[in-house]
Every structure is written in structure tokens, then in C-alpha cells.
Amino acid sequence: NDINLQWNVSLGTSIANEIGRFVLFPVNIFWYFVKRNDILNSMSIFICIKFALAAFFMEIYSYTRKNNKVLCIIAAVAYSLCGMAIQYYNTGIMLDDILLFPLLVYAFNQLIDNKKKWLYVLCLYFIFTFNQQTIFFVCFFLLMYAFIELKDKAKEEKQNGTQ
């Protein structure tokens, strides 16, 4: 057995604790339809599904920002390739955040613009419940993003009010 192909070894330590949270993520229902002998062979398909979903969510976010359709597709593909680079240097656990991050930013914009909060709360729930390692980074980004968005919105309202 090659050490790279064992699920219970990660640099000499067990990764069972990490897999416990990661298995509960809703996209991982894919594994219920895969035979035990085919898990290793289907891992590439599973990762491609996550990349495709991440690109899809990035395209939704880009499209709602009223960008050109071609730019939306380019942004989605570039975001998915960034996820591939992160996957190369990490276990698959970070892919859940990469998958949900554009959807979280879209939901945050919906919260600010339309006062729709259910998608935002749902995204935060999934990110905070299933991947505790990145909570700090997500919160830090959301604080910075909120500051910039609210500042731009106030500037836009000021311009509309003075005209």
C-alpha cells in the first residue's frame, strides 16, 4: 500500500477527526452512491463536482454584480482553478468553503440590498458547522467586505440624494 492512498494517515497522524465533520457536508451525499471498492477511483469525479459547483456559484455571484456574461464565465473558471490549487496543497476539507464562499458573498449582498437573510444564515451555518478551521478568515473577510459595501452604498445614496 502506498501511504498517499490511505485515508487514515496524514503525515503520520490520523485524519479521522477531520473526516468526521467533512463527511456531514451535504455535497458529500455523492459517496452514498459509490461502492466501497470504487471510492478511490471516484475521488477525482467528486472533486470535479465540487469545482463545478464552486464555478457555478461564482458565476451566480458575478452575474448578479451586473458584469458581462463572458467576464462572469472567466471569473467562474478562474475561481474554480484557484480552488484546484488549494486542493493540491491541502486535504479536501477546504473545498467546502471554496464551494460556499461565492454563495455566502451573494447572500450577504442579498441581505444588504433586499433584507433577505435565510440564504446568508444557511451559508454561515454550513461554513461554521462543517469547517471550523476557516471561521476566522471568513469572518475577517465579511467584516472587510461589509465595510466596503456599506461605504459604497452610503456614497451612492449621498450622490442620489444630492442630484
Side-chain angles (χ1 to χ4, degrees):
N1 279 340
D2 186 8
I3 195 165
N4 295 326
L5 302 178
Q6 294 180 6
W7 285 100
N8 60 347
V9 175
S10 174
L11 297 176
T13 61
S14 174
I15 59 171
N17 297 334
E18 297 297 320
I19 289 177
R21 288 190 299 255
F22 152 74
V23 167
L24 296 175
F25 195 74
V27 178
N28 295 332
I29 198 166
F30 169 81
W31 294 116
Y32 289 114
F33 302 109
V34 176
K35 294 178 186 174
R36 186 175 178 93
N37 295 338
D38 296 333
I39 287 177
L40 191 59
N41 296 332
S42 60
M43 188 61 158
S44 297
I45 296 168
F46 177 66
I47 290 172
C48 288
I49 289 170
K50 281 193 173 185
F51 289 149
L53 285 171
F56 175 70
F57 292 147
M58 184 61 176
E59 195 205 347
I60 288 173
Y61 169 70
S62 297
Y63 190 71
T64 59
R65 301 301 283 181
K66 299 187 178 32
N67 290 329
N68 183 336
K69 188 68 172 171
V70 174
L71 289 177
C72 292
I73 293 170
I74 290 171
V77 170
Y79 183 76
S80 183
L81 291 175
C82 289
M84 188 175 74
I86 289 173
Q87 166 60 26
Y88 183 75
Y89 290 107
N90 199 335
T91 61
I93 296 169
M94 290 289 290
L95 282 179
D96 298 334
D97 284 344
I98 292 167
L99 175 90
L100 283 178
F101 202 70
L103 195 60
L104 177 69
V105 176
Y106 167 75
F108 184 76
N109 286 335
Q110 289 293 315
L111 178 69
I112 290 174
D113 297 337
N114 304 330
K115 306 293 188 245
K116 293 180 181 178
K117 59 186 171 195
W118 65 270
L119 183 60
Y120 180 69
V121 170
L122 191 65
C123 287
L124 281 178
Y125 167 75
F126 282 129
I127 288 176
F128 286 9
T129 303
F130 299 114
N131 201 351
Q132 289 87 9
Q133 295 94 337
T134 60
I135 291 173
F136 171 77
F137 299 110
V138 170
C139 289
F140 184 69
F141 172 80
L142 285 176
L143 284 173
M144 291 185 342
Y145 188 76
F147 177 73
I148 292 168
E149 280 292 311
L150 293 174
K151 184 178 174 184
D152 288 346
K153 190 172 184 179
K155 186 178 180 182
E156 188 176 292
E157 287 176 2
K158 185 178 177 184
Q159 287 178 348
N160 290 339
T162 58
Q163 291 179 351

